[in-house]
Amino acid sequence: AAVGKKVLDAGWFAARSTEVDFTGVELTTTHPPHSDQAPWLKAVVPGTVLATLVKNKLVPDPFYGLENESILDIADSGREYYTFWFFTTFECKLSTNQHVDLNFRAINYSAEVYLNGHKEVLPKGMFRRHSIDITHILNPDGENLLAVLVYPPDHPGRIPPEGGQGGDHEIGKDVAAQYVEGWDWMAPIRDRNTGIWDEVSLSITGPVKIVDPHLVSSFFDNYKRAYLNTTVELVNKSDSVAECSLTIQVGTELEGDVYLV
Amino acid sequence: VHLQTQQLSIPAGSSVQYTLPELFFYKPNLWWPNGMGKQSLYDVEITVNVENHGESDSWSQHFGFRKIESYIDSNTGGRLFKVNGKPIFIRGGNWILSDGLLRLSKKRYETDIKFHADMNFNMMRCWGGGLAERPDFYHYCDIYGLLVWQEFWITGDCDGRGDPVSNPNGPLDHDLFLLCARDTVKLLRNHPSLALWVGGNEQVPPEDINTALKKDLQLHPYFETSMDCEHSLKDIC
């Protein structure tokens, strides 16, 4: 596998959790779903549960007319109605001393991840990244089955008849976007934006991984003298000392009629 | 091109925080907000090679040299901004989010943000009831020169000033709030367009959260002072 990031944004299916009879272990080992079999739908990832339901025309688009009124609100349906499975497969074959992480850049609001029969819990919080080292749970044949059970916010709240800014404000108990209960400029979002709402990716590295570099520039002599300070976290995933050479390169885009020969 | 390589050993199964010796730039092309100059961006690439293995990982990011300052003006009580030492009159727009079903795409972000730049805005205010915006949002704000005022997830209505008053002490789990805030700062902090972190909308976060955020977001003193005097311009030239 080439070193770098591989985004998983195609070939996702989704299904309402109450309509799936298998466990996450079964879905990712003996009973993987097939896209054209109900209750499975083609899913929008990244996106929300409602985005997937709208895409499959199972609910009207909430942004037209009063269509939003005809979509069942989570306060009436209960959280399980918007608790959804998301499923996909991916290829990944590592060479010796390579490692791979599965990354979720944002999930709303918490989730359980199943990969080839192994389970990991993604803790609560709409604005946090999750990264799981899956090096040792990849399938030897390279074909991997991934299922994610996504739960809505803990406090979805109930929209009072008069609406209002933030509905009954219950959503404020969670660390999540608050507009979803409706505001003076916005109707309530029925699923409270539950879903895998940002990028899912694999990051393939050798024994040492670069994490969250921090670039800071400082200026002196009226901006004539500038320094670029760089701090990185380096993680050695192997079981032996890693002798590394760390290189930073800073270049500018070629402009105008300057060409690189 | 500026290039620098350092050798280091990392013990098995561990992680290290490493600060490279700083890179010196003489008169770098500065990044300016929309309407004040060019949004000069550099390509920063960091690579780690491991002995007997080869390239192990790499990371790249657009980076803009700029200094953004802001303070409350004692006369007006308003917040004044300076970029690279020059005062700037803020023409800002409220930003909630691209789409209520979070169908967020690069194309949509570019269109929305270029639209605001074409309207001669120079700041986007990301409202506390919406999202911590995504890297793609900031990428296009870097390109089109829109400074970003990014609020954390506190609003007056939901956190202690609504009617009826609700959640006077904000979210139930303050540690979770700070974990999300710290991770969000790490996700977004290298973008030149990021101008200001703000506790919330029409409300100060609960005391413990606000104090922790202020402490976490201070610039490390290491970056405050000029290098030792031998690095004077004369010597370098």
Side-chain angles (χ1 to χ4, degrees):
Chain A
V3 167
K5 179 167 88 169
K6 176 181 177 185
V7 176
L8 303 181
D9 59 359
W12 284 89
F13 315 135
R16 179 165 283 120
S17 60
T18 51
E19 296 168 7
V20 175
D21 302 326
F22 297 114
T23 66
V25 174
E26 291 164 335
L27 288 174
T28 58
T29 50
T30 53
H31 294 80
H34 301 286
S35 71
D36 51 2
Q37 273 173 5
W40 294 92
L41 313 159
K42 282 197 182 340
V44 178
V45 174
T48 61
V49 167
L50 209 48
T52 288
L53 297 176
V54 169
K55 181 183 173 80
N56 288 276
K57 301 193 184 344
L58 294 176
V59 296
D61 189 320
F63 297 132
Y64 287 89
L66 292 177
E67 299 287 21
N68 196 45
E69 295 307 304
S70 63
I71 302 174
L72 193 54
D73 189 89
I74 193 169
D76 303 315
S77 67
R79 291 177 68 248
E80 58 289 339
Y81 186 77
Y82 285 111
T83 300
F84 264 62
W85 281 107
F86 290 84
F87 179 89
T88 191
T89 64
F90 63 86
E91 294 260 334
C92 184
K93 276 202 158 186
L94 300 178
S95 54
T96 49
N97 225 351
Q98 274 194 326
H99 298 259
V100 57
D101 283 352
L102 172 63
N103 311 299
F104 295 88
R105 204 159 67 181
I107 289 243
N108 191 25
Y109 183 67
S110 63
E112 292 168 14
V113 173
Y114 296 83
L115 178 65
N116 305 329
H118 297 262
K119 174 184 176 182
E120 281 280 338
V121 172
L122 299 188
K124 299 172 181 176
M126 180 176 179
F127 301 107
R128 64 188 289 178
R129 296 169 291 174
H130 305 275
S131 193
I132 307 167
D133 188 333
I134 59 172
T135 308
H136 303 297
I137 52 179
L138 291 179
N139 274 339
D141 65 0
E143 177 75 12
N144 298 281
L145 307 179
L146 170 63
V148 188
L149 182 59
V150 183
Y151 295 95
D154 289 349
H155 301 86
R158 174 174 293 278
I159 317 306
E162 69 278 10
Q165 307 205 144
D168 62 2
H169 307 145
E170 277 299 287
I171 193 74
K173 288 181 167 57
D174 296 337
V175 183
Q178 297 180 357
Y179 84 97
V180 292
E181 275 212 62
W183 222 268
D184 51 350
W185 48 270
M186 178 78 188
I189 304 280
R190 297 306 182 196
D191 70 346
R192 307 294 187 268
N193 277 167
T194 300
I196 304 175
W197 68 278
D198 199 357
E199 185 183 271
V200 184
S201 65
L202 300 174
S203 41
I204 292 144
T205 67
V208 174
K209 181 181 181 186
I210 295 171
V211 177
D212 286 338
H214 187 194
L215 307 175
V216 181
S217 49
S218 42
F219 302 93
F220 307 96
D221 305 337
N222 194 24
Y223 298 90
K224 289 195 186 69
R225 186 159 53 101
Y227 296 96
L228 177 61
N229 296 275
T230 307
T231 302
V232 293
E233 184 179 344
L234 295 165
V235 181
N236 178 1
K237 293 168 165 271
S238 72
D239 47 15
S240 54
V241 174
E243 298 300 338
C244 307
S245 59
L246 182 65
T247 299
I248 180 169
Q249 173 173 301
V250 183
T252 48
E253 302 283 334
L254 298 176
E255 296 175 348
D257 56 359
V258 175
Y259 297 94
L260 200 56
V261 178
Chain B
V1 172
H2 288 66
L3 193 62
Q4 186 192 108
T5 298
Q6 294 294 317
Q7 309 299 325
L8 66 153
S9 291
I10 306 176
S14 65
S15 76
V16 298
Q17 193 96 340
Y18 182 76
T19 299
L20 286 125
E22 66 221 342
L23 283 177
F24 168 66
F25 289 77
Y26 174 63
K27 285 190 176 179
N29 303 327
L30 298 179
W31 184 91
W32 293 94
N34 185 30
M36 278 183 94
K38 244 172 99 48
Q39 289 76 46
S40 294
L41 290 169
Y42 286 75
D43 297 317
V44 177
E45 182 160 341
I46 300 172
T47 310
V48 61
N49 282 278
V50 175
E51 208 171 73
N52 306 322
H53 180 86
E55 179 175 311
S56 182
D57 199 3
S58 70
W59 175 90
S60 62
Q61 165 101 21
H62 274 140
F63 181 76
F65 282 94
R66 83 322 180 232
K67 180 171 186 177
I68 297 174
E69 300 157 274
S70 75
Y71 56 94
I72 299 296
D73 173 52
S74 50
N75 302 320
T76 62
R79 181 172 284 273
L80 296 184
F81 287 82
K82 279 186 179 178
V83 178
N84 302 329
K86 302 282 187 280
I88 173 175
F89 181 78
I90 294 296
R91 297 182 299 282
N94 267 325
W95 175 271
I96 313 295
L97 72 174
S98 248
D99 173 74
L101 304 186
L102 305 188
R103 297 166 292 195
L104 311 171
S105 69
K106 287 182 170 61
K107 184 167 169 24
R108 176 85 184 252
Y109 273 133
E110 176 164 24
T111 307
D112 281 345
I113 288 159
K114 186 176 184 309
F115 176 52
H116 284 78
D118 292 346
M119 289 190 285
N120 208 18
F121 282 64
N122 54 26
M123 179 175 275
M124 306 289 264
R125 173 258 179 138
C126 294
W127 173 65
L131 306 176
E133 263 305 346
R134 300 291 89 192
D136 291 332
F137 172 92
Y138 280 85
H139 171 70
Y140 289 110
C141 286
D142 296 343
I143 288 181
Y144 291 111
L146 285 158
L147 298 165
V148 182
W149 158 315
Q150 174 68 64
E151 293 177 9
F152 289 110
W153 319 289
I154 295 282
T155 65
D157 295 89
C158 288
D159 297 286
R161 289 172 58 183
D163 175 17
V165 170
S166 50
N167 309 317
N169 199 30
L172 296 179
D173 187 337
H174 289 195
D175 292 338
L176 174 61
F177 187 98
L178 287 171
L179 183 148
C180 288
R182 286 172 183 136
D183 196 60
T184 298
V185 168
K186 285 186 173 180
L187 178 68
L188 302 174
R189 63 188 173 182
N190 293 320
H191 288 277
S193 53
L194 175 60
L196 189 67
W197 292 103
V198 180
N201 165 66
E202 296 170 353
Q203 177 61 301
V204 179
E207 182 57 35
D208 58 325
I209 288 180
N210 206 38
T211 305
L213 288 176
K214 283 184 174 180
K215 180 176 147 307
D216 288 356
L217 289 167
Q218 278 170 357
L219 184 64
H220 193 283
Y222 171 83
F223 303 118
E224 291 284 6
T225 53
S226 165
M227 284 313 302
D228 33 24
C229 56
E230 81 195 75
H231 266 316
S232 72
L233 196 53
K234 175 173 54 61
D235 297 358
I236 290 294
C237 291

